[in-house]
Amino acid sequence: MDHDRLHGILTELTARHQVPGAQLAVLHEGARLLVHTGVADTASGAPVAPDTAFPVGSLTKPFTAALAMILVADGDVDLDEPLIGQLPEFGAGALVTLRQLLSHTSGLPSDVPEGTSEAGADRAGWVARHCRRTDLTHPPGTVFSYSNVGYVVVGRLIEAVTGMTWQEAIGAVLLEPLGLRPAFVAGPERTGRPVAAGHAVQAARGRVVPVPEQDLPEVEMPNGALALSAGDLLAFAGLYFAGCPDPEPLDRATADDMCFDQLASMAVGPYGMADGWGLGWARFDDGAEDVYGHNGTGDGTSCHLRFDPVNGSAVALTTNANTGQALWDDLVPRLRALGLAVGDRPEPEPPAGAAAPPPPDGCLGRYTNGDTVFEVLRGDGGGLLLSFGGAPHSELLCTPDLRFVMRELGSGARSPGRFVPDPATGRIDHLQITGRLAPRA
């Protein structure tokens, strides 16, 4: 593996997927390689540079988790004590712990309601209104269900303990000691660091359209406000390598704890997203070793980080197009061929054969998670359709074991999902899509 070969692979794949610009950073067998290509913004023509920051979306969450774990290591927060004492505004805090928030087992709804812009960054008020006991979708500590709402609460906890805003704390406590200069896509403080614009690739029309800005409410900054380079992501991953001396600002024990799967006793895991989940990190099976990481999608951006904490290898990809996920899917086998373990969940294949298996009995109906409503309907041809937000969204191509491939109408994009039966009755009582678990209404 060398610089020219990596650069050639990145250039080839950005052209194939019409991605305007990208960075790729790799640490493998002691060699650290960084390559970049293209433009950060098609409107201005500004080139991608090694320090160009890309909006990393949900890859912000492991940084928020690391900041919370620093507070745990300092004795300011207990991982397993209910949080109501430190966050009296958190109505569900009598039942929910920090460990559950970080591992997406808190039972809180998956997504912040669309159109949320109330009170700017007043997370205390937002948590009081939206994170009550009655808002819980599942009993805490029983199942995995990916939750952006949970990380809003983590951000509020950080503010309550440090006396700083989340934005101030993530910089002063975590990033600056690492020598990283963050940029933010929301909030009052932006940096002068160049940030790549997102782009929407409209393949059918042959257009690549810049996205004016990231549409992220301030209250959700702990979920997705960071903008960083691939090199920055690689530096962060280095905190978790086994055998390294105690890194600052994370100590060795804290870093190891974050890479310990929390879901061994869970009845429902992160199907379709990963094989397990630690405290902020997804766990992927990849051969003899586990690989950890996270994906992040913004408005017209797609970023990915994977690392092997045992062997000390890592890969980070930043892209500024909505087709960046497809680029990543093509990149993973190329990296594996070069000897780099990269845990991933490839796009699922529809069921084989001329005739799809019949839909499972008892799957039709409405499923809800917070304000999100899914409805499984019978299509004209006898198959299944998924309605999302009141409009048909996808067809569901089922397999006999209650799993399905969700194929979006129009785009054809595929993602995995499944129906989850009650173990006692066998009745289908949950729907799981992209890690979000929705009980039957």
Side-chain angles (χ1 to χ4, degrees):
M1 188 182 299
D2 57 48
H3 181 280
D4 290 344
R5 189 167 188 180
L6 271 188
H7 187 268
I9 291 172
L10 185 63
T11 302
E12 173 196 337
L13 295 181
T14 53
R16 178 185 303 173
H17 296 287
Q18 297 180 268
V19 174
Q23 300 163 324
L24 177 61
V26 171
L27 184 61
H28 182 56
E29 296 181 345
R32 186 173 185 266
L33 302 171
L34 296 120
V35 297
H36 58 275
T37 188
V39 297
D41 185 348
T42 56
S44 68
V48 172
D51 68 337
T52 300
F54 285 66
V56 299
S58 284
L59 249 170
T60 300
K61 288 186 178 74
F63 289 83
T64 296
L67 178 52
M69 289 298 291
I70 291 170
L71 302 182
V72 171
D74 289 344
D76 296 321
V77 183
D78 190 289
L79 260 178
D80 297 304
E81 287 294 322
L83 293 173
I84 191 68
Q86 290 181 296
L87 289 181
E89 68 271 28
F90 181 25
L95 303 174
V96 175
T97 67
L98 178 59
R99 185 187 299 277
Q100 293 164 350
L101 292 172
L102 297 181
S103 60
H104 297 284
T105 61
S106 69
L108 286 167
S110 295
D111 297 304
V112 170
E114 288 190 23
T116 293
S117 59
E118 53 187 289
D122 177 20
R123 286 182 198 91
W126 193 92
V127 166
R129 289 187 294 274
H130 297 282
C131 300
R132 302 158 296 179
R133 284 193 188 208
T134 54
D135 294 309
L136 291 172
T137 303
H138 314 280
T142 61
V143 295
F144 176 95
S145 185
Y146 190 85
S147 177
N148 289 309
V149 173
Y151 271 75
V152 173
V153 179
V154 177
R156 172 58 197 145
L157 177 66
I158 288 166
E159 293 175 333
V161 172
T162 65
M164 295 184 277
T165 67
W166 171 86
Q167 189 171 3
E168 292 168 340
I170 201 79
V173 180
L174 180 61
L175 297 178
E176 291 170 15
L178 290 174
L180 304 182
R181 181 165 62 99
F184 300 92
V185 301
E189 297 294 331
R190 315 287 179 98
T191 70
R193 181 178 183 179
V195 177
H199 294 81
V201 176
Q202 301 173 349
R205 303 174 65 182
R207 299 176 60 194
V208 178
V209 181
V211 177
E213 60 182 17
Q214 298 293 306
D215 183 18
L216 185 77
E218 282 190 47
V219 75
E220 284 207 77
M221 288 181 69
N223 293 334
L226 282 175
L228 298 162
S229 69
D232 295 336
L233 295 175
L234 207 67
F236 183 52
L239 294 178
Y240 299 92
F241 293 161
C244 294
D246 276 2
E248 291 291 343
L250 283 179
D251 60 56
R252 180 78 272 130
T254 300
D256 290 344
D257 285 347
M258 291 183 66
C259 293
F260 183 79
D261 195 345
Q262 303 292 308
L263 306 183
S265 63
M266 295 292 121
V268 177
Y271 175 75
M273 293 187 76
D275 297 295
W277 217 276
L279 298 173
W281 291 114
R283 180 185 65 79
F284 302 89
D285 292 336
D286 199 319
E289 304 294 344
D290 289 338
V291 175
Y292 288 81
H294 212 288
N295 298 336
T297 302
D299 293 316
T301 68
S302 185
C303 301
H304 307 263
L305 175 63
R306 300 288 188 273
F307 62 91
D308 181 340
V310 174
N311 293 328
S313 62
V315 57
L317 172 72
T318 57
T319 73
N320 61 352
N322 59 336
T323 53
Q325 175 65 52
L327 190 159
W328 170 255
D329 291 341
D330 282 353
L331 176 65
V332 165
R334 303 285 286 272
L335 294 176
R336 284 200 177 113
L338 295 175
L340 188 65
V342 185
D344 195 46
R345 291 291 156 271
E347 188 177 71
E349 293 294 332
D361 293 334
C363 66
L364 302 179
R366 295 172 71 247
Y367 302 81
T368 63
N369 184 303
D371 288 350
T372 305
V373 178
F374 304 98
E375 189 165 9
V376 179
L377 309 166
R378 182 84 60 185
D380 292 340
L384 295 183
L385 290 178
L386 179 70
S387 173
F388 174 71
H393 179 272
S394 306
E395 59 178 333
L396 303 185
L397 307 174
C398 297
T399 60
D401 60 357
L402 301 184
R403 305 183 187 202
F404 56 79
V405 173
M406 185 174 75
R407 185 161 61 192
E408 291 185 25
L409 303 176
S411 72
R414 301 192 298 264
S415 56
R418 63 177 174 174
F419 297 104
V420 182
D422 182 301
T425 66
R427 177 179 180 267
I428 291 174
D429 58 1
H430 288 83
L431 173 75
Q432 189 173 33
I433 297 172
T434 60
R436 291 151 172 84
L437 189 66
R440 183 184 290 277

